[in-house]
Coordinates of all heavy atoms in Angstrom, one line a residue:
A156 N 99.8 102.9 113.2 CA 99.7 102.7 111.8 C 98.8 103.6 111.1 O 99.0 104.0 109.9 CB 99.4 101.2 111.5
I157 N 97.6 103.9 111.7 CA 96.6 104.8 111.1 C 97.1 106.2 111.1 O 97.0 106.9 110.1 CB 95.3 104.6 111.8 CG1 94.7 103.2 111.6 CG2 94.3 105.7 111.4 CD1 93.4 102.9 112.4
V158 N 97.7 106.6 112.2 CA 98.3 108.0 112.3 C 99.3 108.2 111.2 O 99.4 109.3 110.5 CB 98.8 108.3 113.7 CG1 99.6 109.6 113.7 CG2 97.7 108.4 114.7
Q159 N 100.2 107.2 111.0 CA 101.2 107.2 110.0 C 100.7 107.0 108.6 O 101.5 107.1 107.7 CB 102.3 106.3 110.3 CG 103.1 106.6 111.7 CD 103.7 107.9 111.7 OE1 104.4 108.3 110.7 NE2 103.5 108.7 112.7
D160 N 99.4 106.8 108.4 CA 98.8 106.5 107.1 C 99.3 105.2 106.4 O 99.2 105.0 105.2 CB 99.1 107.7 106.2 CG 98.0 107.7 105.0 OD1 97.0 107.2 105.2 OD2 98.3 108.3 103.9
A161 N 99.8 104.3 107.3 CA 100.1 103.0 106.8 C 98.9 102.1 106.5 O 98.8 101.4 105.6 CB 101.0 102.2 107.7
L162 N 97.9 102.4 107.4 CA 96.6 101.7 107.2 C 95.5 102.8 107.0 O 95.6 103.9 107.6 CB 96.2 100.9 108.4 CG 96.9 99.6 108.7 CD1 96.5 98.9 110.0 CD2 96.8 98.7 107.5
R163 N 94.5 102.6 106.2 CA 93.4 103.5 106.1 C 92.3 103.2 107.1 O 91.8 104.1 107.7 CB 92.8 103.4 104.6 CG 91.5 104.3 104.5 CD 91.0 104.3 103.1 NE 89.7 104.9 103.0 CZ 89.5 106.2 103.0 NH1 90.5 107.0 103.1 NH2 88.3 106.7 102.9
A164 N 91.9 101.9 107.3 CA 90.9 101.6 108.2 C 90.8 100.1 108.5 O 91.2 99.4 107.6 CB 89.5 102.1 107.7
V165 N 90.4 99.8 109.7 CA 90.2 98.4 110.1 C 88.8 98.3 110.6 O 88.3 99.1 111.4 CB 91.1 98.0 111.2 CG1 90.9 96.5 111.6 CG2 92.6 98.1 110.7
G166 N 88.0 97.3 110.1 CA 86.6 97.1 110.5 C 86.3 95.8 111.1 O 86.7 94.7 110.5
I167 N 85.6 95.8 112.3 CA 85.2 94.6 113.0 C 83.8 94.5 113.1 O 83.2 95.4 113.7 CB 85.9 94.5 114.4 CG1 87.4 94.6 114.2 CG2 85.5 93.2 115.1 CD1 88.1 93.5 113.4
T168 N 83.0 93.5 112.6 CA 81.6 93.5 112.6 C 81.0 92.5 113.7 O 81.5 91.4 113.8 CB 81.1 93.1 111.2 OG1 81.6 94.0 110.2 CG2 79.5 93.1 111.2
S169 N 80.0 93.1 114.4 CA 79.3 92.3 115.4 C 77.8 92.5 115.1 O 77.4 93.3 114.4 CB 79.6 92.7 116.8 OG 81.0 92.6 117.1
S170 N 77.0 91.6 115.8 CA 75.5 91.7 115.6 C 74.9 92.2 116.9 O 75.1 91.5 118.0 CB 75.0 90.3 115.2 OG 75.5 89.9 114.0
S171 N 74.1 93.3 116.9 CA 73.5 93.8 118.1 C 72.2 93.0 118.4 O 71.3 92.9 117.5 CB 73.2 95.2 117.9 OG 72.4 95.7 119.0
Y172 N 72.2 92.4 119.6 CA 70.9 91.8 120.0 C 69.8 92.8 120.3 O 68.6 92.4 120.3 CB 71.2 90.9 121.3 CG 72.0 89.6 121.0 CD1 73.2 89.4 121.4 CD2 71.3 88.6 120.2 CE1 73.9 88.2 121.1 CE2 72.0 87.4 119.9 CZ 73.3 87.2 120.4 OH 74.0 86.0 120.1
A173 N 70.2 94.0 120.6 CA 69.2 95.0 121.0 C 68.5 95.6 119.8 O 67.3 95.8 119.8 CB 69.9 96.2 121.8
T174 N 69.3 95.8 118.7 CA 68.7 96.5 117.5 C 68.5 95.6 116.3 O 67.9 96.0 115.4 CB 69.7 97.7 117.1 OG1 70.9 97.2 116.7 CG2 69.9 98.6 118.3
G175 N 69.1 94.4 116.4 CA 69.0 93.5 115.2 C 69.9 94.0 114.0 O 69.5 93.7 112.9
R176 N 70.9 94.8 114.3 CA 71.7 95.3 113.2 C 73.1 94.8 113.2 O 73.7 94.4 114.2 CB 71.8 96.9 113.3 CG 70.4 97.5 113.2 CD 70.5 99.0 113.6 NE 71.3 99.8 112.7 CZ 70.7 100.4 111.6 NH1 69.4 100.2 111.3 NH2 71.4 101.1 110.7
A177 N 73.7 94.7 112.0 CA 75.1 94.4 111.9 C 75.9 95.7 112.1 O 75.7 96.7 111.4 CB 75.4 93.8 110.5
V178 N 76.7 95.7 113.1 CA 77.4 96.9 113.5 C 78.9 96.7 113.2 O 79.5 95.8 113.7 CB 77.2 97.4 114.9 CG1 78.0 98.6 115.2 CG2 75.8 97.5 115.2
T179 N 79.5 97.5 112.3 CA 80.9 97.5 112.0 C 81.6 98.5 112.8 O 81.5 99.7 112.4 CB 81.2 97.6 110.5 OG1 80.6 96.5 109.8 CG2 82.7 97.5 110.2
F180 N 82.3 98.1 113.8 CA 83.2 99.1 114.6 C 84.5 99.2 113.7 O 85.1 98.3 113.4 CB 83.4 98.6 115.9 CG 82.2 98.4 116.8 CD1 81.8 97.2 117.2 CD2 81.5 99.6 117.2 CE1 80.6 97.1 118.1 CE2 80.4 99.4 118.0 CZ 80.0 98.2 118.4
F181 N 84.8 100.5 113.4 CA 86.0 100.7 112.6 C 86.8 101.8 113.2 O 86.4 102.7 113.9 CB 85.7 101.0 111.2 CG 85.0 102.5 111.0 CD1 85.9 103.6 110.8 CD2 83.7 102.6 111.0 CE1 85.3 104.8 110.6 CE2 83.1 103.9 110.8 CZ 84.0 105.0 110.7
Q182 N 88.1 101.6 113.0 CA 89.1 102.6 113.4 C 89.9 103.0 112.2 O 90.4 102.1 111.4 CB 90.0 102.0 114.4 CG 91.0 103.0 115.1 CD 91.7 102.4 116.3 OE1 91.2 101.3 116.9 NE2 92.8 102.9 116.7
G183 N 89.9 104.2 111.8 CA 90.6 104.6 110.6 C 90.9 106.1 110.5 O 90.8 106.8 111.5
R184 N 91.3 106.5 109.3 CA 91.7 107.9 109.1 C 90.5 108.9 109.3 O 89.4 108.4 109.3 CB 92.2 108.1 107.6 CG 93.5 107.5 107.4 CD 94.0 107.7 106.0 NE 93.2 108.4 105.1 CZ 93.5 108.6 103.8 NH1 94.5 108.0 103.3 NH2 92.7 109.3 103.0
D185 N 90.7 110.1 109.5 CA 89.7 111.0 109.8 C 88.7 111.2 108.7 O 87.5 111.5 108.9 CB 90.3 112.4 110.2 CG 91.1 112.4 111.5 OD1 90.8 111.5 112.3 OD2 92.0 113.3 111.6
D186 N 89.1 110.9 107.5 CA 88.2 111.1 106.3 C 87.3 109.9 106.1 O 86.4 109.9 105.2 CB 88.9 111.5 105.0 CG 89.9 110.4 104.6 OD1 90.4 109.6 105.5 OD2 90.2 110.3 103.4
V187 N 87.4 108.9 106.8 CA 86.5 107.7 106.8 C 85.2 108.0 107.5 O 85.3 108.3 108.7 CB 87.2 106.5 107.2 CG1 86.2 105.3 107.1 CG2 88.4 106.2 106.5
E188 N 84.2 108.0 106.8 CA 82.8 108.4 107.5 C 82.0 107.2 107.9 O 82.1 106.1 107.4 CB 82.0 109.2 106.5 CG 82.7 110.4 105.9 CD 81.8 111.2 104.9 OE1 80.7 110.7 104.7 OE2 82.2 112.2 104.4
E189 N 81.3 107.4 109.0 CA 80.3 106.4 109.5 C 79.3 106.2 108.4 O 79.0 107.1 107.6 CB 79.7 106.9 110.8 CG 80.7 106.9 111.9 CD 80.1 107.2 113.3 OE1 78.9 107.6 113.3 OE2 80.7 106.9 114.3
W190 N 78.5 105.2 108.5 CA 77.4 104.9 107.5 C 76.2 104.3 108.3 O 76.4 103.6 109.3 CB 77.8 104.1 106.3 CG 78.2 102.6 106.7 CD1 77.5 101.5 106.7 CD2 79.6 102.2 107.0 NE1 78.1 100.4 107.1 CE2 79.5 100.8 107.2 CE3 80.8 102.8 107.1 CZ2 80.6 100.0 107.5 CZ3 81.9 102.0 107.4 CH2 81.8 100.6 107.6
H191 N 75.1 104.5 107.7 CA 73.8 104.0 108.4 C 73.0 103.5 107.2 O 72.6 104.3 106.3 CB 73.1 105.0 109.2 CG 73.9 105.6 110.3 ND1 74.0 104.9 111.5 CD2 74.8 106.6 110.4 CE1 74.8 105.6 112.3 NE2 75.3 106.7 111.7
R192 N 72.7 102.2 107.1 CA 71.9 101.7 106.1 C 70.8 100.7 106.7 O 70.9 100.5 107.9 CB 72.7 100.9 105.0 CG 73.8 101.8 104.3 CD 73.0 102.8 103.4 NE 74.0 103.6 102.7 CZ 74.4 104.8 103.1 NH1 73.9 105.3 104.3 NH2 75.3 105.5 102.4
A193 N 70.1 100.0 105.9 CA 69.1 99.1 106.4 C 69.7 98.0 107.2 O 70.5 97.2 106.5 CB 68.2 98.6 105.3
R194 N 69.5 97.8 108.4 CA 70.0 96.7 109.2 C 71.5 96.6 109.3 O 72.1 95.6 109.6 CB 69.4 95.4 108.7 CG 68.0 95.3 109.0 CD 67.6 95.1 110.4 NE 66.1 95.0 110.6 CZ 65.7 95.0 111.8 NH1 66.3 95.0 112.9 NH2 64.3 94.9 111.9
R195 N 72.2 97.8 109.0 CA 73.7 97.7 109.1 C 74.2 99.2 109.3 O 73.5 100.1 108.9 CB 74.3 97.1 107.9 CG 74.0 97.9 106.7 CD 74.5 97.1 105.4 NE 74.0 97.8 104.2 CZ 74.8 98.7 103.6 NH1 76.0 98.9 104.0 NH2 74.3 99.3 102.4
E196 N 75.3 99.3 110.0 CA 75.9 100.6 110.2 C 77.4 100.4 110.5 O 77.9 99.4 110.9 CB 75.2 101.3 111.4 CG 75.3 100.6 112.7 CD 74.4 101.3 113.7 OE1 74.5 102.5 113.8 OE2 73.7 100.6 114.5

Side-chain angles (χ1 to χ4, degrees):
I157 291 174
V158 170
Q159 296 298 314
D160 202 24
L162 290 176
R163 174 175 171 79
V165 178
I167 305 300
T168 302
S169 301
S170 300
S171 170
Y172 285 113
T174 66
R176 298 169 68 87
V178 181
T179 299
F180 296 114
F181 72 87
Q182 191 170 337
R184 287 179 7 183
D185 291 341
D186 63 333
V187 180
E188 299 180 2
E189 296 186 343
W190 65 90
H191 301 275
R192 299 292 181 267
R194 292 291 176 183
R195 62 190 174 94
E196 60 186 314

